[in-house]
Amino acid sequence: AALGGGSLAAGGLGVAGGTAILGGIVAGPALAVLGFAMNSKANANLENARSNRAQAEKAAHEMGLASDACQKISERADMFVDLLGNIHVRFQKFVDQMKDVLIDKGTDYSEYGQAEKDILAMTLSLAVATKAILDTPILNEDGSVTTRSLDVYHEMNQKITKVNA
C-alpha cells in the first residue's frame, strides 16, 4: 500500500495501486531492453533489404541487357526473313520461266538464245544469293549479332534489286 500512496482509507491507491506501480517499475527497464533488441533487429533487416535491393537492381540491369540483345537478334533475323522472302518471289518467277525454257528448248545449253541464257543466269544468281544468306551466321560465339550478317544483307539486297523478274 505504501508504494500506492497509502491505504485506500488514507486517500491512496492501496495495495492494488502499489502493485501496479511496482509492475511499472519492472516493466520500464524490460521495455527498454526490448526496444534496444528490436532496434538492432530492425537495423539488420534494413541492411538485408538494401542488399536485396542492390541484387535486384543488378539483375534488372542484366535482364535489360539481355532484352536488348534479344531485340537486336530478332531485328537481324527479321531482316533476313524479309530478304529471303523477296528472293523467293523473284526466284519462283525465274524457276517458272526456266521450266518453260526446258519445255520449249530442251536441256542443251548450246541451243539457248541470249534470253534463255539470261533466265538461267538469273535463276542461278538467286540460288547463289539464297545459299550465301543461309550460310551467314547471325550470331557470334558470345551470342552477339555479327557485323558480317549486316554486310551480307546489304550486299545481297543490292544484288537482288538488280535482278528483274
Side-chain angles (χ1 to χ4, degrees), residues 12-159:
L13 298 175
V15 175
T19 304
I21 290 173
L22 184 61
I25 291 172
V26 172
L31 289 174
V33 169
L34 182 62
F36 287 125
M38 292 186 75
N39 184 37
S40 175
K41 182 68 174 166
N43 285 337
N45 287 341
L46 180 60
E47 284 305 312
N48 190 23
R50 286 182 178 150
S51 174
N52 288 342
R53 180 178 179 182
Q55 289 174 356
E57 286 173 351
K58 180 181 176 187
H61 177 72
E62 290 172 357
M63 285 182 217
L65 293 176
S67 176
D68 290 345
C70 289
Q71 182 64 34
K72 289 176 184 175
I73 293 167
S74 177
E75 288 170 2
R76 188 63 49 87
D78 287 345
M79 289 170 59
F80 271 66
V81 166
D82 291 344
L83 182 60
L84 287 168
N86 193 357
I87 289 174
H88 175 72
V89 169
R90 294 169 190 255
F91 188 67
Q92 190 60 50
K93 289 179 182 178
F94 278 107
V95 167
D96 291 342
Q97 291 176 16
M98 198 171 77
K99 285 179 187 176
D100 292 340
V101 168
L102 291 171
I103 291 169
D104 294 343
K105 301 283 182 163
T107 58
D108 187 357
Y109 184 77
S110 65
E111 297 291 319
Y112 294 172
Q114 190 58 47
E116 290 86 9
K117 289 179 180 179
D118 288 346
I119 290 170
L120 190 62
M122 292 296 180
T123 307
L124 182 60
S125 177
L126 290 170
V128 168
T130 300
K131 173 113 172 71
I133 292 166
L134 294 175
D135 287 345
T136 302
I138 293 177
L139 299 178
N140 290 312
E141 287 190 23
D142 66 357
S144 63
V145 177
T146 64
T147 56
R148 176 72 182 132
S149 63
L150 186 60
D151 295 340
V152 168
Y153 170 81
H154 289 304
E155 180 184 335
M156 293 303 131
N157 199 31
Q158 263 185 342
K159 283 184 179 184

